[in-house]
Amino acid sequence: MCGIIGYIGENKAKPILINGLLRLEYRGYDSAGIATIEKDEIKTIKNKGRVKNLNDIEEINSLKGTIGIGHTRWATHGKPSSINSHPHADNTNCFSVVHNGIIENYSDLKEFLKSRKYKFLSETDTEVIPNLIHFNYQNSDETGDTKFLKAVVDTCKMLKGSYALEVISSAHPNNMIVVRKDSPLVIGKGLNENYISSDIPAILSFTKDFYILNDLEFAYISRNNIEFYNEDLEKIHKDFQNITLDTSSTEKDGYPDFMLKEINEQSKSVRETIGSRISSSSKTIISDLNINKKFLKTINKIYIIACGTAMHAGLTAKPIFESLCEIPVEVEPASEFRYRNPIITQNTLCLFISQSGETADTIAALKLAKSKNSKTIAISNVVGSSITREADYTVYTHAGPEIAVASTKAYTSQIVLLAIIAIYFAEILDKNSTKINELKNDILLLPSNIEEVLKDTEKIKAFAKRIYKEKDIFFIGRGIDYTVAVEGSLKLKEISYIHSEAYPSGELKHGPIALIENDVTVVSILTNRLLLEKSISNIQEVVTRGAKTFIVTNQELNDDFDEVINIPKTNYLISPVLSVIPLQLLAYYISKEKGLDVDKPRNLAKSVTVE
Ligand code: G6P
């Protein structure tokens, strides 16, 4: 993962780099560092922990360079420490590099360099890169700027794995070289200045004109020029894109945390997802999906592939597609899918869900599906992100930037969008029109129903106070409610560090019930009238064994439970959009009670760009 920032221009680089790093911290916060060129010498300052720790180092204010690179790290190779922080320099401090990704053949490269007397200070895979650049530079017959460029290109030819790189050199103090392979990198074009970043929002306050780099495109950047080259050192032409996004949506707007802001934004984000795609009186329109009946009729299996919360949205979508389109659906984590030999034919449709659009496993799984001739659809929240460039079709969730590491509004928007896509397919296939009309009406009511759920959060807050010291919490549900249990359990683990398990209610008695004892909390979701009695029986089984119960339901309950959160009635297939909200809030308030950093939980990152 890791966040990369760069600046080359007429202003001091340091404040711009720090500003960008703060915005990229969601990609990792184990350590941070910057390097600038000061009077033809590279100066590097780095520190363990958050960007704030880096900015607190007094010496950082002495950096006056107008060219610089910065990095915020999510540790892969080498523990979080100052020495393992980026930027990394070669032995002569002539080249400095920041890197996002993993160099898979770094041990071989290290041995190669060691045998040529290069020394290593860190435990990282990255440190081989500046030293290889130095090696290639020393052994090059080229002169001038091409010598620098060729050394970087030759180095990349030796690397296996994924990387987004920024390279500066004291021998070329007016230039920076950047390149990417399977890790994101964008260049923002300014007036007599240029910006580099892992994502667009981090530099959107400086420029709106962006070059999106493709794999193995090298950019040779000065303050007023950007040249692009391919691996053969041939110049290539690239057009920039003008990107407009509302940057105010990346601020907290008076909320104590981004997560609480994003939970509360769900009525708006779901409204944006719906947009004008569905209406009760006409057929569904998804302008970016140009799929016809002839093709859809050939589809006999749908795969939904994603990671983390996005995969949980896929689990929820499975019954929606199966019930409306009558096509079997398989949902699989991208990290599993990519390393087996899934049965994919041209009659298989593959949907890939990724909020960031940059999750390494999801991108690799998408490439695999394409290589097997499947049609691919990307569902993403980030315009121009990697999966959107790989897939045959892209449909955006339009949920607005999601900053908190734990996903909330992206998840609900993903479910809504998947439901809309299922409706769109079913309409094309002329299937289940009555069901569809009812579902559409309930989708259109979702924004106001979400507002209803968010109106009263006091009971959830009070219950969080009661249970925040617990060690294990269970989540149960049947059918679609089970898919919400899984997401509720993940939210809790992610931000409160409480161990939790989600189980289909009926499976509890096959093992986990052995763990239920006096005062253990069991969270249960009940939205299916047809399964109500069965589910209540399962809850009674844990109550009998002493469990405390927290129930989220839209059904009338006759029995007494410790806490019951009532949510509005809606079509069962989209009930997760409402029932997950009390679970998001429960996790949030528990984390707050424990005094934890809700937005940046330990060991996690928002965008997992390494496998
Ligand atoms: C990380 C994040 C999760 C997210 C998952 C998939 O684990 O912490 O919140 O659900 O990645 O991310 P994506 O951007 O592909 O949806």
Side-chain angles (χ1 to χ4, degrees):
M1 340 277 220
C2 307
I4 282 183
I5 190 85
Y7 175 76
I8 177 162
E10 293 172 337
N11 296 307
K12 262 211 257 180
K14 179 251 157 181
I16 296 165
L17 298 178
I18 294 291
N19 179 304
L21 287 181
L22 286 168
R23 288 172 187 275
L24 290 169
E25 243 186 346
Y26 74 88
R27 304 175 69 88
Y29 30 82
D30 288 331
S31 65
I34 61 175
T36 60
I37 301 182
E38 312 280 321
K39 295 197 188 119
D40 295 351
E41 192 194 336
I42 294 176
K43 279 266 159 59
T44 306
I45 299 183
K46 41 198 195 180
N47 205 358
K48 192 179 161 188
R50 304 279 163 97
V51 176
K52 187 183 170 303
N53 296 3
L54 171 71
N55 206 28
D56 283 348
I57 296 176
E58 222 177 288
E59 199 196 334
I60 205 165
N61 295 315
S62 66
L63 297 181
K64 299 199 173 47
T66 58
I67 170 170
I69 56 180
H71 187 271
T72 175
R73 177 168 187 247
W74 187 83
T76 58
H77 294 62
K79 60 184 179 298
S81 69
S82 188
I83 201 84
N84 286 333
S85 309
H86 299 220
H88 288 284
D90 71 298
N91 286 177
T92 66
N93 199 34
C94 180
F95 299 98
S96 181
V97 167
V98 290
H99 167 218
N100 169 27
I102 291 179
I103 304 305
E104 288 165 3
N105 57 339
Y106 81 100
S107 341
D108 292 347
L109 295 171
K110 214 168 178 172
E111 288 315 310
F112 168 83
L113 287 162
K114 274 184 177 168
S115 67
R116 284 157 180 84
K117 305 275 179 282
Y118 283 85
K119 298 219 165 4
F120 288 88
L121 305 174
S122 77
E123 303 151 324
T124 65
D125 51 337
T126 303
E127 206 183 350
V128 296
I129 302 172
N131 285 306
L132 279 176
I133 296 174
H134 176 265
F135 171 81
N136 286 318
Y137 191 85
Q138 292 302 108
N139 291 296
S140 163
D141 299 333
E142 300 285 344
T143 52
D145 289 347
T146 322
K147 184 168 179 162
F148 182 23
L149 182 61
K150 185 159 187 310
V152 175
V153 172
D154 287 346
T155 299
C156 289
K157 287 183 178 160
M158 301 168 83
L159 303 178
K160 285 198 186 125
S162 58
Y163 47 86
L165 298 176
E166 291 176 340
V167 189
I168 53 172
S169 167
S170 54
H172 301 264
N174 300 317
N175 296 100
M176 180 185 301
I177 298 175
V178 307
V179 58
R180 62 157 274 182
K181 184 179 160 278
D182 296 334
S183 290
L185 204 64
V186 299
I187 302 169
K189 187 171 95 74
L191 192 63
N192 292 328
E193 57 185 3
N194 290 305
Y195 301 83
I196 297 92
S197 173
S198 295
D199 76 14
I200 291 172
I203 49 176
L204 203 54
S205 54
F206 300 116
T207 178
K208 304 275 176 276
D209 296 333
F210 287 90
Y211 292 101
I212 317 270
L213 273 192
N214 292 319
D215 278 355
L216 294 172
E217 288 178 344
F218 295 78
Y220 196 80
I221 311 174
S222 64
R223 70 170 59 149
N224 45 25
N225 194 28
I226 307 172
E227 288 171 357
F228 296 97
Y229 294 86
N230 64 16
E231 272 187 292
D232 299 324
L233 283 175
E234 292 160 346
K235 251 193 186 169
I236 48 176
H237 173 80
K238 278 185 83 72
D239 290 319
F240 65 83
Q241 301 174 23
N242 188 269
I243 301 212
T244 46
L245 280 176
D246 179 9
T247 41
S248 66
S249 51
T250 55
E251 309 297 334
K252 280 189 195 155
D253 280 350
Y255 283 97
D257 314 275
F258 279 111
M259 183 176 177
L260 189 60
K261 177 188 172 225
E262 287 158 8
I263 291 173
N264 278 284
E265 271 173 358
Q266 290 179 100
S267 159
K268 181 172 165 235
S269 48
V270 162
R271 192 172 285 119
E272 293 293 324
T273 304
I274 299 169
S276 53
R277 285 166 170 158
I278 56 169
S279 83
S280 45
S281 53
S282 53
K283 290 255 190 235
T284 303
I285 300 168
I286 305 182
S287 50
D288 324 294
L289 253 190
N290 190 11
I291 284 184
N292 60 32
K293 189 170 182 171
K294 192 169 157 223
F295 166 71
L296 258 193
K297 278 192 130 177
T298 66
I299 296 302
N300 56 22
K301 180 158 85 176
I302 298 177
Y303 263 118
I304 302 183
I305 315 295
C307 297
T309 290
M311 192 195 66
H312 294 167
L315 291 177
T316 299
K318 172 181 161 84
I320 310 181
F321 276 95
E322 290 188 341
S323 108
L324 300 185
C325 309
E326 297 164 21
I327 302 173
V329 176
E330 278 191 48
V331 184
E332 213 172 305
S335 54
E336 290 295 316
F337 182 86
R338 65 178 289 195
Y339 288 120
R340 57 184 197 89
N341 195 10
I343 300 174
I344 296 176
T345 67
Q346 54 193 12
N347 307 112
T348 315
L349 180 64
C350 293
L351 265 74
F352 296 84
I353 316 168
S354 174
Q355 187 285 130
S356 63
E358 302 296 349
T359 301
D361 283 323
T362 311
I363 298 168
L366 170 48
K367 288 180 178 165
L368 174 72
K370 270 181 82 176
S371 73
K372 290 175 175 272
N373 293 326
S374 159
K375 277 267 177 283
T376 55
I377 301 178
I379 292 175
S380 181
N381 198 32
V382 179
V383 175
S385 56
S386 298
I387 66 161
T388 69
R389 297 201 301 277
E390 290 285 341
D392 295 308
Y393 304 101
T394 295
V395 193
Y396 288 106
T397 40
H398 299 311
E402 190 181 66
I403 309 291
V405 166
S407 179
T408 52
K409 65 174 182 172
Y411 167 78
T412 43
S413 280
Q414 284 158 355
I415 296 173
V416 172
L417 184 53
L418 287 158
I420 294 173
I421 295 175
I423 291 172
Y424 173 73
F425 286 176
E427 281 177 350
I428 295 175
L429 293 166
D430 294 322
K431 288 196 166 149
N432 296 303
S433 59
T434 318
K435 247 191 218 171
I436 283 173
N437 289 338
E438 285 167 17
L439 184 58
K440 276 181 168 178
N441 286 333
D442 275 358
I443 289 179
L444 291 167
L445 286 174
L446 276 176
S448 58
N449 279 333
I450 292 173
E451 274 165 31
E452 206 51 45
V453 181
L454 286 165
K455 250 184 203 157
D456 183 13
T457 59
E458 285 311 309
K459 285 207 286 190
I460 304 172
K461 222 187 231 174
F463 197 76
K465 253 198 173 94
R466 236 176 111 181
I467 65 167
Y468 75 97
K469 288 190 179 148
E470 292 186 7
K471 296 268 178 289
D472 303 286
I473 295 182
F474 291 82
F475 287 73
I476 57 171
R478 281 174 181 265
I480 220 159
D481 291 337
Y482 167 63
T483 71
V484 181
V486 173
E487 173 58 12
S489 166
L490 178 67
K491 281 298 82 103
L492 185 77
K493 282 191 267 256
E494 280 179 311
I495 60 168
S496 76
Y497 316 148
I498 294 177
H499 168 257
S500 128
E501 279 193 46
Y503 246 78
S505 307
E507 277 291 299
L508 261 193
K509 53 184 162 304
H510 297 292
I513 204 159
L515 300 170
I516 304 292
E517 51 186 5
N518 222 12
D519 233 23
V520 164
T521 297
V522 176
V523 176
S524 176
I525 305 102
L526 299 174
T527 67
N528 188 347
R529 191 177 45 81
L530 299 176
L531 294 172
L532 187 63
E533 283 167 10
K534 306 264 172 232
S535 302
I536 295 282
S537 303
N538 298 136
I539 300 173
Q540 290 301 0
E541 285 160 14
V542 296
V543 169
T544 308
R545 286 159 180 86
K548 271 199 301 303
T549 47
F550 179 90
I551 308 225
V552 179
T553 187
N554 55 15
Q555 303 294 313
E556 314 293 324
L557 304 184
N558 297 322
D559 309 41
D560 273 345
F561 297 103
D562 292 278
E563 196 55 88
V564 177
I565 306 295
N566 291 298
I567 56 170
K569 281 210 159 38
T570 189
N571 190 301
Y572 167 66
L573 291 173
I574 49 164
S575 62
V577 176
L578 302 179
S579 59
V580 77
I581 296 173
L583 308 186
Q584 295 169 340
L585 287 164
L586 185 65
Y588 173 81
Y589 288 121
I590 289 176
S591 177
K592 289 302 271 187
E593 279 301 324
K594 292 181 86 168
L596 300 173
D597 186 338
V598 176
D599 286 340
K600 295 195 181 89
R602 71 181 179 206
N603 302 340
L604 301 181
K606 180 129 197 89
S607 191
V608 183
T609 56
V610 292
E611 62 172 288

